[in-house]
Amino acid sequence: SNKAIPLSDCSVWPAAGMELKDGWLRSTTKRKPDVKQQLINTTDLQRVSTTSKLCCFEESQKCFASATSDGTVAISHCLEEGSWGITDENNQIMLFQQCIGLGTIESGNERYLACCLRGGTIYLVPVVEGNNPRKYIVMYATPVDSADCGAVRYIQNFAAGLAQVKSWQEDDDSSSMKYAAMIGWSGGKIDVYELNAEETRENLLLDKLAERGTLSNFVKMLMNMEKSHNLLESSTLWKQAWDECTKANEVESVVNRIRNPNDDTFEGARLLILSLMNGT
């Protein structure tokens, strides 16, 4: 049949107060005047975002995700009254570039949305539901192959989900489920990466500092710092970190416990290091 179906009759609008926030309506700069806004004002154009990607969570049929052209990524839930919307403000983020690929990861009660940018940066976004506390968004930067000689590569395709991985040991037939992402490059090359939801940006940063010896040197500095140092007198956080480290005997033991997110023995030292690295 060639009968036309009016799509307006099939539309389901979001619930009041749960609509997606258009990225163009957000303040992107504190400069005055806003150069981009001045440019738009000189034209008759309206800045409008369009949905470029859409995917559904298989196990949770009442949950779906979308990505728009302005960099907005939203996780929406279907509501009982037949509408849909953003049920938690943390389920909508704005990336600095348009997302070119989405993938859903579900394992038990854990749900994540994997988002990939054109250059290969991957974000693992936790779905916030009910009264569950917000988890960290984990960011991954795709490694650059040294054989590329600095050439800029762009992602062509992206997929993410659960993968069953066999053991590397020849005499071990066991397997385990992993969060995995597949990235397709031009020329037919495909890379597969494991995504670890527990690897927060802070943990990765501390690991890098430990590998370079920076963390050990910082702990040694705290251990050898005089009690009358002006930093200890002017900062509560410096004083707390100094108290923690001077009570310890071995530097490497302190470093290992600082890197352990489940150990709060050296919480002051961990917070001090992260605040110095973030410039806060």
Side-chain angles (χ1 to χ4, degrees):
S1 173
N2 295 326
K3 184 178 179 180
I5 300 176
L7 295 181
S8 58
D9 295 342
C10 305
S11 299
V12 180
W13 296 100
M18 296 185 179
E19 303 90 345
L20 272 71
K21 296 179 181 178
D22 194 317
W24 292 119
L25 301 179
R26 305 180 187 183
S27 176
T28 58
T29 178
K30 294 182 178 180
R31 296 176 301 174
K32 293 182 180 181
D34 188 333
V35 179
K36 291 188 296 182
Q37 187 60 50
Q38 284 185 335
L39 179 61
I40 291 296
N41 292 340
T42 61
T43 69
D44 294 329
L45 299 177
Q46 277 190 320
R47 299 193 289 188
V48 178
S49 300
T50 58
T51 300
S52 57
K53 300 292 177 182
L54 187 69
C55 69
C56 297
F57 288 81
E58 294 183 5
E59 295 183 11
S60 177
Q61 299 180 358
K62 295 184 178 181
C63 187
F64 63 94
S66 58
T68 59
S69 57
D70 64 358
T72 298
V73 175
I75 302 170
S76 305
H77 287 78
C78 298
L79 307 176
E80 294 182 356
E81 61 269 21
S83 60
W84 58 274
I86 309 295
T87 57
D88 190 290
E89 62 178 6
N90 291 313
N91 281 335
Q92 180 172 351
I93 62 173
M94 187 173 185
L95 305 177
F96 66 92
Q97 289 181 357
Q98 180 179 351
C99 180
I100 61 97
L102 296 176
T104 60
I105 298 175
E106 300 174 87
S107 178
N109 295 326
E110 301 288 335
R111 293 189 185 86
Y112 295 92
L113 178 68
C115 316
C116 184
L117 304 185
R118 179 66 70 185
T121 304
I122 301 173
Y123 293 87
L124 192 60
V125 184
V127 180
V128 181
E129 295 176 305
N131 296 322
N132 296 330
R134 170 65 187 271
K135 296 183 178 181
Y136 288 104
I137 297 176
V138 185
M139 184 186 75
Y140 303 87
T142 304
V144 178
D145 193 339
S146 58
D148 291 339
C149 300
V152 179
R153 302 186 303 166
Y154 292 103
I155 303 292
Q156 303 299 316
N157 291 287
F158 174 79
L162 288 175
Q164 187 172 4
V165 181
K166 292 185 177 181
S167 172
W168 287 93
Q169 303 295 330
E170 294 183 359
D171 56 348
D172 188 356
D173 295 331
S174 64
S175 61
S176 58
M177 300 300 293
K178 301 284 187 179
Y179 295 173
M182 299 179 65
I183 292 178
W185 304 95
S186 58
K189 182 179 179 180
I190 297 177
D191 288 338
V192 181
Y193 300 97
E194 179 185 356
L195 305 178
N196 188 343
E198 301 302 323
E199 286 188 352
T200 64
R201 178 181 178 274
E202 288 78 9
N203 293 343
L204 294 173
L205 179 59
L206 292 174
D207 288 344
K208 286 293 184 183
L209 292 176
E211 292 173 4
R212 297 173 181 175
T214 307
L215 211 52
S216 297
N217 292 334
F218 187 81
V219 172
K220 291 177 183 178
M221 182 199 70
L222 283 174
M223 288 181 168
N224 297 324
M225 185 177 288
E226 296 291 337
K227 187 176 181 180
S228 58
H229 198 286
N230 61 336
L231 284 174
L232 302 181
E233 297 178 354
S234 60
S235 171
T236 304
L237 187 56
W238 273 90
K239 182 64 166 59
Q240 179 184 348
W242 179 82
D243 287 337
E244 295 170 351
C245 292
T246 51
K247 294 177 182 178
N249 297 321
E250 297 181 0
V251 173
E252 289 307 314
S253 176
V254 176
V255 170
N256 292 333
R257 300 186 76 171
I258 289 177
R259 295 172 62 183
N260 185 358
N262 299 318
D263 191 335
D264 58 359
T265 307
F266 297 91
E267 183 66 19
R270 181 186 295 112
L271 292 175
L272 175 60
I273 293 166
L274 293 175
S275 65
L276 291 174
M277 295 303 299
N278 293 322
T280 58

